[in-house]
PDB file of all heavy atoms in Angstrom:
ATOM      1  N   PHE A   1     110.528 107.331 109.978  1.00 98.00           N
ATOM      2  CA  PHE A   1     109.779 106.975 108.767  1.00 98.00           C
ATOM      3  C   PHE A   1     109.670 105.465 108.704  1.00 98.00           C
ATOM      4  O   PHE A   1     110.680 104.763 108.754  1.00 98.00           O
ATOM      5  CB  PHE A   1     110.523 107.477 107.520  1.00 98.00           C
ATOM      6  CG  PHE A   1     110.456 108.959 107.283  1.00 98.00           C
ATOM      7  CD1 PHE A   1     111.317 109.813 107.955  1.00 98.00           C
ATOM      8  CD2 PHE A   1     109.528 109.502 106.390  1.00 98.00           C
ATOM      9  CE1 PHE A   1     111.256 111.181 107.757  1.00 98.00           C
ATOM     10  CE2 PHE A   1     109.457 110.865 106.186  1.00 98.00           C
ATOM     11  CZ  PHE A   1     110.325 111.723 106.866  1.00 98.00           C
ATOM     12  N   THR A   2     108.460 104.954 108.579  1.00 98.00           N
ATOM     13  CA  THR A   2     108.270 103.509 108.597  1.00 98.00           C
ATOM     14  C   THR A   2     108.722 102.840 107.301  1.00 98.00           C
ATOM     15  O   THR A   2     109.029 101.651 107.294  1.00 98.00           O
ATOM     16  CB  THR A   2     106.794 103.130 108.815  1.00 98.00           C
ATOM     17  OG1 THR A   2     106.021 103.589 107.687  1.00 98.00           O
ATOM     18  CG2 THR A   2     106.275 103.755 110.089  1.00 98.00           C
ATOM     19  N   GLY A   3     108.739 103.593 106.168  1.00 97.00           N
ATOM     20  CA  GLY A   3     108.853 102.931 104.900  1.00 97.00           C
ATOM     21  C   GLY A   3     107.598 102.084 104.666  1.00 97.00           C
ATOM     22  O   GLY A   3     106.585 102.225 105.379  1.00 97.00           O
ATOM     23  N   ASP A   4     107.650 101.194 103.710  1.00 96.00           N
ATOM     24  CA  ASP A   4     106.530 100.287 103.439  1.00 96.00           C
ATOM     25  C   ASP A   4     106.727  98.998 104.209  1.00 96.00           C
ATOM     26  O   ASP A   4     107.809  98.453 104.245  1.00 96.00           O
ATOM     27  CB  ASP A   4     106.441  99.948 101.949  1.00 96.00           C
ATOM     28  CG  ASP A   4     105.977 101.129 101.100  1.00 96.00           C
ATOM     29  OD1 ASP A   4     105.894 102.262 101.649  1.00 96.00           O
ATOM     30  OD2 ASP A   4     105.710 100.930  99.908  1.00 96.00           O
ATOM     31  N   LEU A   5     105.634  98.510 104.827  1.00 96.00           N
ATOM     32  CA  LEU A   5     105.753  97.289 105.614  1.00 96.00           C
ATOM     33  C   LEU A   5     104.386  96.643 105.780  1.00 96.00           C
ATOM     34  O   LEU A   5     103.383  97.330 105.773  1.00 96.00           O
ATOM     35  CB  LEU A   5     106.384  97.578 106.969  1.00 96.00           C
ATOM     36  CG  LEU A   5     105.619  98.413 108.008  1.00 96.00           C
ATOM     37  CD1 LEU A   5     106.385  98.376 109.343  1.00 96.00           C
ATOM     38  CD2 LEU A   5     105.400  99.852 107.593  1.00 96.00           C
ATOM     39  N   HIS A   6     104.402  95.318 105.905  1.00 93.00           N
ATOM     40  CA  HIS A   6     103.153  94.582 106.075  1.00 93.00           C
ATOM     41  C   HIS A   6     102.737  94.487 107.529  1.00 93.00           C
ATOM     42  O   HIS A   6     101.539  94.372 107.837  1.00 93.00           O
ATOM     43  CB  HIS A   6     103.296  93.173 105.501  1.00 93.00           C
ATOM     44  CG  HIS A   6     102.105  92.290 105.738  1.00 93.00           C
ATOM     45  ND1 HIS A   6     100.869  92.589 105.238  1.00 93.00           N
ATOM     46  CD2 HIS A   6     101.971  91.141 106.452  1.00 93.00           C
ATOM     47  CE1 HIS A   6     100.002  91.635 105.617  1.00 93.00           C
ATOM     48  NE2 HIS A   6     100.644  90.767 106.367  1.00 93.00           N
ATOM     49  N   GLU A   7     103.693  94.545 108.426  1.00 95.00           N
ATOM     50  CA  GLU A   7     103.420  94.565 109.845  1.00 95.00           C
ATOM     51  C   GLU A   7     104.581  95.231 110.545  1.00 95.00           C
ATOM     52  O   GLU A   7     105.685  95.305 109.989  1.00 95.00           O
ATOM     53  CB  GLU A   7     103.213  93.142 110.401  1.00 95.00           C
ATOM     54  CG  GLU A   7     104.427  92.255 110.248  1.00 95.00           C
ATOM     55  CD  GLU A   7     104.159  90.817 110.707  1.00 95.00           C
ATOM     56  OE1 GLU A   7     102.999  90.404 110.724  1.00 95.00           O
ATOM     57  OE2 GLU A   7     105.132  90.148 111.044  1.00 95.00           O
ATOM     58  N   PHE A   8     104.345  95.751 111.716  1.00 97.00           N
ATOM     59  CA  PHE A   8     105.437  96.385 112.465  1.00 97.00           C
ATOM     60  C   PHE A   8     106.292  95.304 113.115  1.00 97.00           C
ATOM     61  O   PHE A   8     105.773  94.460 113.847  1.00 97.00           O
ATOM     62  CB  PHE A   8     104.882  97.360 113.498  1.00 97.00           C
ATOM     63  CG  PHE A   8     104.301  98.597 112.874  1.00 97.00           C
ATOM     64  CD1 PHE A   8     102.959  98.665 112.535  1.00 97.00           C
ATOM     65  CD2 PHE A   8     105.099  99.692 112.603  1.00 97.00           C
ATOM     66  CE1 PHE A   8     102.420  99.794 111.947  1.00 97.00           C
ATOM     67  CE2 PHE A   8     104.588 100.842 111.991  1.00 97.00           C
ATOM     68  CZ  PHE A   8     103.227 100.875 111.684  1.00 97.00           C
ATOM     69  N   PRO A   9     107.574  95.328 112.846  1.00 95.00           N
ATOM     70  CA  PRO A   9     108.425  94.234 113.338  1.00 95.00           C
ATOM     71  C   PRO A   9     108.689  94.323 114.835  1.00 95.00           C
ATOM     72  O   PRO A   9     108.524  95.382 115.454  1.00 95.00           O
ATOM     73  CB  PRO A   9     109.754  94.457 112.558  1.00 95.00           C
ATOM     74  CG  PRO A   9     109.774  95.934 112.334  1.00 95.00           C
ATOM     75  CD  PRO A   9     108.332  96.332 112.084  1.00 95.00           C
ATOM     76  N   LYS A  10     109.092  93.203 115.392  1.00 92.00           N
ATOM     77  CA  LYS A  10     109.533  93.197 116.773  1.00 92.00           C
ATOM     78  C   LYS A  10     110.691  94.171 116.914  1.00 92.00           C
ATOM     79  O   LYS A  10     111.592  94.179 116.119  1.00 92.00           O
ATOM     80  CB  LYS A  10     109.975  91.778 117.152  1.00 92.00           C
ATOM     81  CG  LYS A  10     110.412  91.646 118.610  1.00 92.00           C
ATOM     82  CD  LYS A  10     110.817  90.209 118.901  1.00 92.00           C
ATOM     83  CE  LYS A  10     111.242  90.045 120.360  1.00 92.00           C
ATOM     84  NZ  LYS A  10     111.661  88.642 120.679  1.00 92.00           N
ATOM     85  N   GLY A  11     110.630  94.995 117.894  1.00 96.00           N
ATOM     86  CA  GLY A  11     111.673  95.991 118.068  1.00 96.00           C
ATOM     87  C   GLY A  11     111.299  97.365 117.567  1.00 96.00           C
ATOM     88  O   GLY A  11     112.010  98.346 117.803  1.00 96.00           O
ATOM     89  N   PHE A  12     110.153  97.462 116.837  1.00 98.00           N
ATOM     90  CA  PHE A  12     109.792  98.783 116.315  1.00 98.00           C
ATOM     91  C   PHE A  12     109.451  99.749 117.432  1.00 98.00           C
ATOM     92  O   PHE A  12     109.781 100.924 117.361  1.00 98.00           O
ATOM     93  CB  PHE A  12     108.620  98.676 115.336  1.00 98.00           C
ATOM     94  CG  PHE A  12     108.238  99.998 114.729  1.00 98.00           C
ATOM     95  CD1 PHE A  12     108.923 100.470 113.630  1.00 98.00           C
ATOM     96  CD2 PHE A  12     107.240 100.793 115.295  1.00 98.00           C
ATOM     97  CE1 PHE A  12     108.612 101.726 113.079  1.00 98.00           C
ATOM     98  CE2 PHE A  12     106.929 102.040 114.762  1.00 98.00           C
ATOM     99  CZ  PHE A  12     107.620 102.486 113.655  1.00 98.00           C
ATOM    100  N   SER A  13     108.779  99.249 118.457  1.00 97.00           N
ATOM    101  CA  SER A  13     108.407 100.133 119.566  1.00 97.00           C
ATOM    102  C   SER A  13     109.621 100.772 120.203  1.00 97.00           C
ATOM    103  O   SER A  13     109.614 101.977 120.491  1.00 97.00           O
ATOM    104  CB  SER A  13     107.614  99.323 120.623  1.00 97.00           C
ATOM    105  OG  SER A  13     107.252 100.151 121.703  1.00 97.00           O
ATOM    106  N   GLN A  14     110.677  99.993 120.399  1.00 98.00           N
ATOM    107  CA  GLN A  14     111.911 100.572 120.938  1.00 98.00           C
ATOM    108  C   GLN A  14     112.583 101.493 119.934  1.00 98.00           C
ATOM    109  O   GLN A  14     113.102 102.554 120.308  1.00 98.00           O
ATOM    110  CB  GLN A  14     112.870  99.454 121.323  1.00 98.00           C
ATOM    111  CG  GLN A  14     114.172  99.942 121.943  1.00 98.00           C
ATOM    112  CD  GLN A  14     115.081  98.785 122.365  1.00 98.00           C
ATOM    113  OE1 GLN A  14     114.726  97.605 122.235  1.00 98.00           O
ATOM    114  NE2 GLN A  14     116.271  99.128 122.840  1.00 98.00           N
ATOM    115  N   PHE A  15     112.556 101.119 118.663  1.00 98.00           N
ATOM    116  CA  PHE A  15     113.167 101.908 117.618  1.00 98.00           C
ATOM    117  C   PHE A  15     112.542 103.308 117.537  1.00 98.00           C
ATOM    118  O   PHE A  15     113.247 104.312 117.346  1.00 98.00           O
ATOM    119  CB  PHE A  15     112.996 101.171 116.273  1.00 98.00           C
ATOM    120  CG  PHE A  15     113.650 101.827 115.094  1.00 98.00           C
ATOM    121  CD1 PHE A  15     115.026 101.766 114.912  1.00 98.00           C
ATOM    122  CD2 PHE A  15     112.894 102.513 114.155  1.00 98.00           C
ATOM    123  CE1 PHE A  15     115.640 102.342 113.807  1.00 98.00           C
ATOM    124  CE2 PHE A  15     113.491 103.106 113.053  1.00 98.00           C
ATOM    125  CZ  PHE A  15     114.861 103.026 112.875  1.00 98.00           C
ATOM    126  N   ALA A  16     111.224 103.360 117.711  1.00 98.00           N
ATOM    127  CA  ALA A  16     110.496 104.631 117.566  1.00 98.00           C
ATOM    128  C   ALA A  16     110.109 105.247 118.911  1.00 98.00           C
ATOM    129  O   ALA A  16     109.361 106.231 118.960  1.00 98.00           O
ATOM    130  CB  ALA A  16     109.226 104.411 116.740  1.00 98.00           C
ATOM    131  N   GLN A  17     110.619 104.725 119.998  1.00 98.00           N
ATOM    132  CA  GLN A  17     110.225 105.121 121.323  1.00 98.00           C
ATOM    133  C   GLN A  17     110.274 106.634 121.518  1.00 98.00           C
ATOM    134  O   GLN A  17     111.316 107.272 121.355  1.00 98.00           O
ATOM    135  CB  GLN A  17     111.055 104.435 122.380  1.00 98.00           C
ATOM    136  CG  GLN A  17     110.568 104.605 123.833  1.00 98.00           C
ATOM    137  CD  GLN A  17     109.225 103.936 124.080  1.00 98.00           C
ATOM    138  OE1 GLN A  17     108.406 104.407 124.893  1.00 98.00           O
ATOM    139  NE2 GLN A  17     108.963 102.832 123.387  1.00 98.00           N
ATOM    140  N   GLN A  18     109.109 107.218 121.858  1.00 98.00           N
ATOM    141  CA  GLN A  18     108.951 108.633 122.175  1.00 98.00           C
ATOM    142  C   GLN A  18     109.479 109.562 121.065  1.00 98.00           C
ATOM    143  O   GLN A  18     109.954 110.661 121.341  1.00 98.00           O
ATOM    144  CB  GLN A  18     109.625 108.960 123.514  1.00 98.00           C
ATOM    145  CG  GLN A  18     108.963 108.256 124.676  1.00 98.00           C
ATOM    146  CD  GLN A  18     109.505 108.672 126.034  1.00 98.00           C
ATOM    147  OE1 GLN A  18     110.603 109.201 126.136  1.00 98.00           O
ATOM    148  NE2 GLN A  18     108.722 108.448 127.076  1.00 98.00           N
ATOM    149  N   ALA A  19     109.383 109.094 119.846  1.00 98.00           N
ATOM    150  CA  ALA A  19     109.760 109.942 118.711  1.00 98.00           C
ATOM    151  C   ALA A  19     108.853 111.180 118.663  1.00 98.00           C
ATOM    152  O   ALA A  19     107.668 111.124 119.007  1.00 98.00           O
ATOM    153  CB  ALA A  19     109.657 109.180 117.406  1.00 98.00           C
ATOM    154  N   ASP A  20     109.427 112.294 118.267  1.00 97.00           N
ATOM    155  CA  ASP A  20     108.623 113.513 118.142  1.00 97.00           C
ATOM    156  C   ASP A  20     107.646 113.415 116.979  1.00 97.00           C
ATOM    157  O   ASP A  20     106.563 114.023 117.027  1.00 97.00           O
ATOM    158  CB  ASP A  20     109.547 114.712 117.915  1.00 97.00           C
ATOM    159  CG  ASP A  20     110.409 115.002 119.128  1.00 97.00           C
ATOM    160  OD1 ASP A  20     109.896 115.601 120.109  1.00 97.00           O
ATOM    161  OD2 ASP A  20     111.615 114.591 119.141  1.00 97.00           O
ATOM    162  N   LEU A  21     108.009 112.632 115.973  1.00 98.00           N
ATOM    163  CA  LEU A  21     107.153 112.521 114.797  1.00 98.00           C
ATOM    164  C   LEU A  21     107.320 111.130 114.176  1.00 98.00           C
ATOM    165  O   LEU A  21     108.440 110.695 113.922  1.00 98.00           O
ATOM    166  CB  LEU A  21     107.536 113.589 113.777  1.00 98.00           C
ATOM    167  CG  LEU A  21     106.726 113.634 112.467  1.00 98.00           C
ATOM    168  CD1 LEU A  21     105.275 113.987 112.757  1.00 98.00           C
ATOM    169  CD2 LEU A  21     107.314 114.670 111.511  1.00 98.00           C
ATOM    170  N   LEU A  22     106.192 110.471 113.935  1.00 98.00           N
ATOM    171  CA  LEU A  22     106.189 109.198 113.211  1.00 98.00           C
ATOM    172  C   LEU A  22     105.474 109.431 111.883  1.00 98.00           C
ATOM    173  O   LEU A  22     104.294 109.802 111.848  1.00 98.00           O
ATOM    174  CB  LEU A  22     105.440 108.122 114.017  1.00 98.00           C
ATOM    175  CG  LEU A  22     105.194 106.796 113.298  1.00 98.00           C
ATOM    176  CD1 LEU A  22     106.500 106.092 112.991  1.00 98.00           C
ATOM    177  CD2 LEU A  22     104.260 105.889 114.093  1.00 98.00           C
ATOM    178  N   VAL A  23     106.198 109.218 110.790  1.00 98.00           N
ATOM    179  CA  VAL A  23     105.613 109.323 109.441  1.00 98.00           C
ATOM    180  C   VAL A  23     105.399 107.883 108.948  1.00 98.00           C
ATOM    181  O   VAL A  23     106.372 107.173 108.681  1.00 98.00           O
ATOM    182  CB  VAL A  23     106.520 110.098 108.482  1.00 98.00           C
ATOM    183  CG1 VAL A  23     105.852 110.232 107.126  1.00 98.00           C
ATOM    184  CG2 VAL A  23     106.852 111.466 109.047  1.00 98.00           C
ATOM    185  N   SER A  24     104.160 107.475 108.881  1.00 98.00           N
ATOM    186  CA  SER A  24     103.847 106.066 108.577  1.00 98.00           C
ATOM    187  C   SER A  24     102.988 105.952 107.332  1.00 98.00           C
ATOM    188  O   SER A  24     102.135 106.799 107.047  1.00 98.00           O
ATOM    189  CB  SER A  24     103.089 105.434 109.741  1.00 98.00           C
ATOM    190  OG  SER A  24     102.749 104.094 109.442  1.00 98.00           O
ATOM    191  N   GLU A  25     103.229 104.894 106.610  1.00 96.00           N
ATOM    192  CA  GLU A  25     102.349 104.539 105.498  1.00 96.00           C
ATOM    193  C   GLU A  25     101.059 103.950 106.060  1.00 96.00           C
ATOM    194  O   GLU A  25     100.990 103.598 107.241  1.00 96.00           O
ATOM    195  CB  GLU A  25     103.046 103.514 104.605  1.00 96.00           C
ATOM    196  CG  GLU A  25     103.213 102.151 105.233  1.00 96.00           C
ATOM    197  CD  GLU A  25     102.764 101.018 104.310  1.00 96.00           C
ATOM    198  OE1 GLU A  25     102.136 101.304 103.266  1.00 96.00           O
ATOM    199  OE2 GLU A  25     103.028  99.864 104.627  1.00 96.00           O
ATOM    200  N   ALA A  26     100.045 103.806 105.195  1.00 93.00           N
ATOM    201  CA  ALA A  26      98.801 103.157 105.604  1.00 93.00           C
ATOM    202  C   ALA A  26      97.983 102.808 104.379  1.00 93.00           C
ATOM    203  O   ALA A  26      98.028 103.497 103.369  1.00 93.00           O
ATOM    204  CB  ALA A  26      97.985 104.055 106.530  1.00 93.00           C
ATOM    205  N   ALA A  27      97.212 101.738 104.500  1.00 87.00           N
ATOM    206  CA  ALA A  27      96.304 101.287 103.437  1.00 87.00           C
ATOM    207  C   ALA A  27      94.889 101.180 103.980  1.00 87.00           C
ATOM    208  O   ALA A  27      94.694 100.882 105.176  1.00 87.00           O
ATOM    209  CB  ALA A  27      96.756  99.942 102.864  1.00 87.00           C
ATOM    210  N   GLU A  28      93.910 101.421 103.124  1.00 84.00           N
ATOM    211  CA  GLU A  28      92.499 101.292 103.481  1.00 84.00           C
ATOM    212  C   GLU A  28      91.948 100.088 102.736  1.00 84.00           C
ATOM    213  O   GLU A  28      91.655 100.161 101.535  1.00 84.00           O
ATOM    214  CB  GLU A  28      91.734 102.549 103.121  1.00 84.00           C
ATOM    215  CG  GLU A  28      90.231 102.462 103.354  1.00 84.00           C
ATOM    216  CD  GLU A  28      89.864 101.895 104.698  1.00 84.00           C
ATOM    217  OE1 GLU A  28      90.219 102.520 105.734  1.00 84.00           O
ATOM    218  OE2 GLU A  28      89.248 100.811 104.733  1.00 84.00           O
ATOM    219  N   PRO A  29      91.799  98.949 103.413  1.00 75.00           N
ATOM    220  CA  PRO A  29      91.394  97.719 102.738  1.00 75.00           C
ATOM    221  C   PRO A  29      90.093  97.830 101.950  1.00 75.00           C
ATOM    222  O   PRO A  29      89.973  97.258 100.842  1.00 75.00           O
ATOM    223  CB  PRO A  29      91.222  96.705 103.899  1.00 75.00           C
ATOM    224  CG  PRO A  29      92.147  97.236 104.981  1.00 75.00           C
ATOM    225  CD  PRO A  29      92.068  98.728 104.856  1.00 75.00           C
ATOM    226  N   ALA A  30      89.123  98.584 102.456  1.00 74.00           N
ATOM    227  CA  ALA A  30      87.820  98.669 101.802  1.00 74.00           C
ATOM    228  C   ALA A  30      87.900  99.344 100.410  1.00 74.00           C
ATOM    229  O   ALA A  30      86.981  99.156  99.616  1.00 74.00           O
ATOM    230  CB  ALA A  30      86.840  99.440 102.695  1.00 74.00           C
ATOM    231  N   ALA A  31      88.956 100.087 100.166  1.00 66.00           N
ATOM    232  CA  ALA A  31      89.052 100.829  98.907  1.00 66.00           C
ATOM    233  C   ALA A  31      89.943 100.156  97.889  1.00 66.00           C
ATOM    234  O   ALA A  31      90.100 100.652  96.776  1.00 66.00           O
ATOM    235  CB  ALA A  31      89.535 102.254  99.186  1.00 66.00           C
ATOM    236  N   LEU A  32      90.538  99.040  98.235  1.00 68.00           N
ATOM    237  CA  LEU A  32      91.551  98.427  97.350  1.00 68.00           C
ATOM    238  C   LEU A  32      90.950  97.765  96.109  1.00 68.00           C
ATOM    239  O   LEU A  32      91.574  97.774  95.044  1.00 68.00           O
ATOM    240  CB  LEU A  32      92.416  97.439  98.131  1.00 68.00           C
ATOM    241  CG  LEU A  32      93.257  98.058  99.258  1.00 68.00           C
ATOM    242  CD1 LEU A  32      94.130  97.010  99.940  1.00 68.00           C
ATOM    243  CD2 LEU A  32      94.124  99.205  98.733  1.00 68.00           C
ATOM    244  N   GLU A  33      89.781  97.188  96.229  1.00 66.00           N
ATOM    245  CA  GLU A  33      89.154  96.586  95.057  1.00 66.00           C
ATOM    246  C   GLU A  33      88.843  97.660  94.007  1.00 66.00           C
ATOM    247  O   GLU A  33      89.047  97.462  92.825  1.00 66.00           O
ATOM    248  CB  GLU A  33      87.873  95.849  95.451  1.00 66.00           C
ATOM    249  CG  GLU A  33      88.084  94.549  96.197  1.00 66.00           C
ATOM    250  CD  GLU A  33      88.721  93.448  95.339  1.00 66.00           C
ATOM    251  OE1 GLU A  33      88.751  93.631  94.089  1.00 66.00           O
ATOM    252  OE2 GLU A  33      89.142  92.432  95.883  1.00 66.00           O
ATOM    253  N   ASN A  34      88.366  98.820  94.474  1.00 71.00           N
ATOM    254  CA  ASN A  34      88.079  99.913  93.550  1.00 71.00           C
ATOM    255  C   ASN A  34      89.372 100.429  92.918  1.00 71.00           C
ATOM    256  O   ASN A  34      89.398 100.743  91.729  1.00 71.00           O
ATOM    257  CB  ASN A  34      87.371 101.060  94.291  1.00 71.00           C
ATOM    258  CG  ASN A  34      86.934 102.156  93.360  1.00 71.00           C
ATOM    259  OD1 ASN A  34      86.538 101.906  92.222  1.00 71.00           O
ATOM    260  ND2 ASN A  34      87.003 103.388  93.829  1.00 71.00           N
ATOM    261  N   LEU A  35      90.445 100.491  93.708  1.00 66.00           N
ATOM    262  CA  LEU A  35      91.736 100.889  93.166  1.00 66.00           C
ATOM    263  C   LEU A  35      92.204  99.943  92.067  1.00 66.00           C
ATOM    264  O   LEU A  35      92.671 100.363  91.006  1.00 66.00           O
ATOM    265  CB  LEU A  35      92.798 100.954  94.270  1.00 66.00           C
ATOM    266  CG  LEU A  35      94.238 101.214  93.843  1.00 66.00           C
ATOM    267  CD1 LEU A  35      94.364 102.574  93.175  1.00 66.00           C
ATOM    268  CD2 LEU A  35      95.172 101.112  95.049  1.00 66.00           C
ATOM    269  N   ALA A  36      92.030  98.635  92.318  1.00 60.00           N
ATOM    270  CA  ALA A  36      92.444  97.632  91.338  1.00 60.00           C
ATOM    271  C   ALA A  36      91.668  97.813  90.029  1.00 60.00           C
ATOM    272  O   ALA A  36      92.234  97.706  88.936  1.00 60.00           O
ATOM    273  CB  ALA A  36      92.230  96.248  91.894  1.00 60.00           C
ATOM    274  N   LYS A  37      90.397  98.135  90.129  1.00 67.00           N
ATOM    275  CA  LYS A  37      89.588  98.352  88.938  1.00 67.00           C
ATOM    276  C   LYS A  37      90.042  99.604  88.183  1.00 67.00           C
ATOM    277  O   LYS A  37      90.067  99.624  86.957  1.00 67.00           O
ATOM    278  CB  LYS A  37      88.117  98.478  89.320  1.00 67.00           C
ATOM    279  CG  LYS A  37      87.500  97.167  89.804  1.00 67.00           C
ATOM    280  CD  LYS A  37      86.059  97.376  90.239  1.00 67.00           C
ATOM    281  CE  LYS A  37      85.459  96.083  90.801  1.00 67.00           C
ATOM    282  NZ  LYS A  37      84.064  96.275  91.284  1.00 67.00           N
ATOM    283  N   ARG A  38      90.379 100.665  88.896  1.00 66.00           N
ATOM    284  CA  ARG A  38      90.798 101.906  88.260  1.00 66.00           C
ATOM    285  C   ARG A  38      92.141 101.747  87.563  1.00 66.00           C
ATOM    286  O   ARG A  38      92.357 102.313  86.495  1.00 66.00           O
ATOM    287  CB  ARG A  38      90.853 103.024  89.280  1.00 66.00           C
ATOM    288  CG  ARG A  38      89.479 103.524  89.699  1.00 66.00           C
ATOM    289  CD  ARG A  38      89.560 104.758  90.584  1.00 66.00           C
ATOM    290  NE  ARG A  38      90.142 104.483  91.886  1.00 66.00           N
ATOM    291  CZ  ARG A  38      91.072 105.226  92.453  1.00 66.00           C
ATOM    292  NH1 ARG A  38      91.557 106.272  91.850  1.00 66.00           N
ATOM    293  NH2 ARG A  38      91.530 104.919  93.651  1.00 66.00           N
ATOM    294  N   VAL A  39      93.052 100.972  88.168  1.00 64.00           N
ATOM    295  CA  VAL A  39      94.344 100.744  87.512  1.00 64.00           C
ATOM    296  C   VAL A  39      94.157  99.865  86.294  1.00 64.00           C
ATOM    297  O   VAL A  39      94.687 100.137  85.216  1.00 64.00           O
ATOM    298  CB  VAL A  39      95.358 100.116  88.502  1.00 64.00           C
ATOM    299  CG1 VAL A  39      96.638  99.717  87.806  1.00 64.00           C
ATOM    300  CG2 VAL A  39      95.659 101.112  89.642  1.00 64.00           C
ATOM    301  N   GLY A  40      93.450  98.737  86.489  1.00 57.00           N
ATOM    302  CA  GLY A  40      92.932  97.988  85.349  1.00 57.00           C
ATOM    303  C   GLY A  40      93.814  96.956  84.695  1.00 57.00           C
ATOM    304  O   GLY A  40      93.334  96.215  83.855  1.00 57.00           O
ATOM    305  N   ASN A  41      95.091  96.837  85.067  1.00 61.00           N
ATOM    306  CA  ASN A  41      95.928  95.853  84.367  1.00 61.00           C
ATOM    307  C   ASN A  41      96.502  94.786  85.283  1.00 61.00           C
ATOM    308  O   ASN A  41      97.483  94.129  84.930  1.00 61.00           O
ATOM    309  CB  ASN A  41      97.041  96.546  83.572  1.00 61.00           C
ATOM    310  CG  ASN A  41      98.035  97.272  84.489  1.00 61.00           C
ATOM    311  OD1 ASN A  41      97.781  97.466  85.672  1.00 61.00           O
ATOM    312  ND2 ASN A  41      99.179  97.636  83.926  1.00 61.00           N
ATOM    313  N   GLY A  42      95.929  94.623  86.464  1.00 58.00           N
ATOM    314  CA  GLY A  42      96.335  93.521  87.339  1.00 58.00           C
ATOM    315  C   GLY A  42      95.374  92.373  87.240  1.00 58.00           C
ATOM    316  O   GLY A  42      94.290  92.482  86.675  1.00 58.00           O
ATOM    317  N   ASP A  43      95.763  91.222  87.804  1.00 55.00           N
ATOM    318  CA  ASP A  43      94.862  90.074  87.777  1.00 55.00           C
ATOM    319  C   ASP A  43      93.915  90.124  88.969  1.00 55.00           C
ATOM    320  O   ASP A  43      93.858  91.100  89.718  1.00 55.00           O
ATOM    321  CB  ASP A  43      95.652  88.768  87.731  1.00 55.00           C
ATOM    322  CG  ASP A  43      96.508  88.526  88.971  1.00 55.00           C
ATOM    323  OD1 ASP A  43      96.258  89.167  90.016  1.00 55.00           O
ATOM    324  OD2 ASP A  43      97.407  87.677  88.914  1.00 55.00           O
ATOM    325  N   LYS A  44      93.173  89.054  89.149  1.00 61.00           N
ATOM    326  CA  LYS A  44      92.141  89.036  90.204  1.00 61.00           C
ATOM    327  C   LYS A  44      92.724  89.132  91.610  1.00 61.00           C
ATOM    328  O   LYS A  44      92.000  89.422  92.567  1.00 61.00           O
ATOM    329  CB  LYS A  44      91.294  87.757  90.077  1.00 61.00           C
ATOM    330  CG  LYS A  44      92.101  86.457  90.302  1.00 61.00           C
ATOM    331  CD  LYS A  44      91.201  85.247  90.136  1.00 61.00           C
ATOM    332  CE  LYS A  44      91.988  83.943  90.384  1.00 61.00           C
ATOM    333  NZ  LYS A  44      91.121  82.752  90.221  1.00 61.00           N
ATOM    334  N   ASN A  45      94.022  88.880  91.744  1.00 71.00           N
ATOM    335  CA  ASN A  45      94.673  88.918  93.049  1.00 71.00           C
ATOM    336  C   ASN A  45      95.324  90.275  93.350  1.00 71.00           C
ATOM    337  O   ASN A  45      96.014  90.421  94.369  1.00 71.00           O
ATOM    338  CB  ASN A  45      95.725  87.813  93.153  1.00 71.00           C
ATOM    339  CG  ASN A  45      95.139  86.425  93.092  1.00 71.00           C
ATOM    340  OD1 ASN A  45      94.122  86.166  93.735  1.00 71.00           O
ATOM    341  ND2 ASN A  45      95.737  85.550  92.331  1.00 71.00           N
TER     342      ASN A  45
END
């Protein structure tokens, strides 16, 4: 399980080497502005 992360750290490849299953988080950049509008209480950033 990757947990939440901004980038895969050095050593991740060895840590996950030939794992039977990788459960990873992911974000879709193109949809984040719409998400921010729907949530509605964050600032411009």
Side-chain angles (χ1 to χ4, degrees):
F1 287 82
T2 65
D4 289 10
L5 68 172
H6 174 61
E7 62 184 23
F8 288 92
K10 182 179 180 181
F12 182 84
S13 179
Q14 181 178 357
F15 183 76
Q17 189 66 212
Q18 296 187 339
D20 293 282
L21 181 64
L22 173 65
V23 183
S24 178
E25 70 132 349
E28 175 48 63
L32 296 183
E33 287 291 348
N34 186 36
L35 173 62
K37 291 177 182 177
R38 286 188 292 135
V39 173
N41 65 346
D43 64 17
K44 63 181 181 180
N45 295 317

